[in-house]
């Protein structure tokens, strides 16, 4: 990354397409965190452009602002809580009667 691009990114410029290094700098995270966020659905997966993996900034920004498209934030956690509560209620009621 050139010093000029780094200065522009720090000043708030966001290129429409970004590689892992630029995306990490824009988000203030390291490369490993970019990969972890993709794996957990915090940000969208990259697209292959030539020989590089690239993210479209508008999509990343949308995912971070409103969450994963088509999925409410916390859906997985809420489902795990519901399932755990149901399982506990079933266990408790079977021990009472």
């Amino acid at each position: 990354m050139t010093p000029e691009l780094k200065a522009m990114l720090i000043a708030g410029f966001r290129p429409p397409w970004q590689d892992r290094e630029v995306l990490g700098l824009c988000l203030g995270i390291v490369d490993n965190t970019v990969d972890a966020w993709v794996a957990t659905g915090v940000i969208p997966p990259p697209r292959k452009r030539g020989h590089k993996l690239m993210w479209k900034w508008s999509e990343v920004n949308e995912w971070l602002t409103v969450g994963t498209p088509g999925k409410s934030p916390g859906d997985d956690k809420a489902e795990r809580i519901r399932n755990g509560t149901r399982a506990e209620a079933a266990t408790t009621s079977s021990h009472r009667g």
Side-chain angles (χ1 to χ4, degrees):
M1 176 181 326
T2 66
E4 294 83 12
L5 176 58
K6 189 170 185 173
M8 288 172 40
L9 294 172
I10 292 169
F13 171 72
R14 299 297 179 255
W17 289 93
Q18 302 175 8
D19 64 12
R20 182 179 285 111
E21 179 185 13
V22 172
L23 182 63
L25 184 61
C26 289
L27 296 174
I29 59 177
V30 296
D31 290 355
N32 290 344
T33 304
V34 171
D35 296 335
W37 284 13
V38 169
T40 58
V42 174
I43 60 174
R47 299 178 191 179
K48 193 159 191 169
R49 297 289 181 247
H51 296 288
K52 291 189 92 169
L53 295 177
M54 304 288 289
W55 284 263
K56 190 172 183 180
W57 176 251
S58 61
E59 292 175 357
V60 172
N61 190 44
E62 180 180 355
W63 279 47
L64 291 173
T65 302
V66 298
T68 306
K71 187 176 188 180
S72 297
D75 274 355
D76 291 338
K77 186 174 183 179
E79 187 63 29
R80 286 194 311 271
I81 291 169
R82 278 192 293 277
N83 291 340
T85 303
R86 288 180 184 136
E88 183 62 29
T91 302
T92 303
S93 64
S94 68
H95 288 291
R96 289 184 189 169

